[in-house]
Amino acid sequence: VAGAVADGLICHGFTTAEYFRDVTIPNLERGLAGAGRTRADVEVTLPVMCVVDGDLGAPLDLARATIASYGSTPAYRAVLEHHGWGELGDELHALSRKGEWATMATLVEDDVVDTFCAIGDTAEVAAKVHERFGGVVDRLQLGPQGSDDEFAELVSALHHPA
C-alpha cells in the first residue's frame, strides 16, 4: 500500500538486513510498480538497533531483552522465521504469556543479537549500518545503547563513512 499511495515508508525496527532486503523492499517495489511509480517516489525510514559501547554488558543485555520482547509477538514471527528462528518466537511468546520476561532474554543468543543489532565501537557500528542498509534506506532512526559522546561519534561516522 505504501508503494502505491504514500510518499514515505517508516519501517518497523524489528527487522534484519536480510528480511528488509528480501521481504520489505520487494513488497514496496511491487506496490510502486502496480501504481506506475518509482522508488524515488517514496522515502524509506528505518529504525536501526545499535549497541555502541566499550563495555557491552548492560547495553547488550538491554538489546537482548528488546529483541526478546519484540520476538514474543506473533505478528513479528515472520522476521524470526526468515532466519530459521521461528521456534524461538514460539518459545518467547509462551514465556511472555507467563510473564517470564527475564527468562525470555536468556533465550536470545549472540548470533540473533548480532543479526538484529549493529554492535561495536562507533566506526564498527557505522560500517555495519552502511553495509546492511546503505543504498536502500533514505533516513535512519538510531536507537543506540551507549554514551551521548558515543552517539555523537556514531552520527558523525554515519555521515562521513571511512
Side-chain angles (χ1 to χ4, degrees), residues 16-123:
T16 65
E18 293 83 2
Y19 187 86
F20 187 75
R21 290 182 187 274
D22 295 347
V23 178
T24 305
I25 293 302
N27 281 332
L28 174 65
E29 289 172 346
R30 275 191 290 282
L32 288 165
R37 301 174 71 204
T38 69
R39 177 62 179 80
D41 293 320
V42 177
E43 181 178 81
V44 176
T45 300
L46 178 70
V48 178
M49 286 191 260
C50 305
V51 177
V52 180
D53 199 346
D55 174 14
L56 294 176
L60 198 54
D61 290 344
L62 181 57
R64 196 177 306 279
T66 299
I67 293 166
S69 177
Y70 280 129
S72 72
T73 306
Y76 303 147
R77 188 181 191 278
V79 180
L80 294 171
E81 185 63 38
H82 192 74
H83 293 275
W85 300 324
E87 288 182 16
L88 172 62
D90 297 339
E91 291 176 63
L92 293 170
H93 179 68
L95 289 170
S96 72
R97 301 209 19 113
K98 296 177 186 176
E100 296 184 26
W101 300 99
T103 302
M104 290 166 52
T106 67
L107 297 181
V108 180
E109 297 183 7
D110 291 347
D111 62 326
V112 177
V113 177
D114 253 353
T115 302
F116 278 93
C117 296
I119 302 169
D121 63 29
T122 54

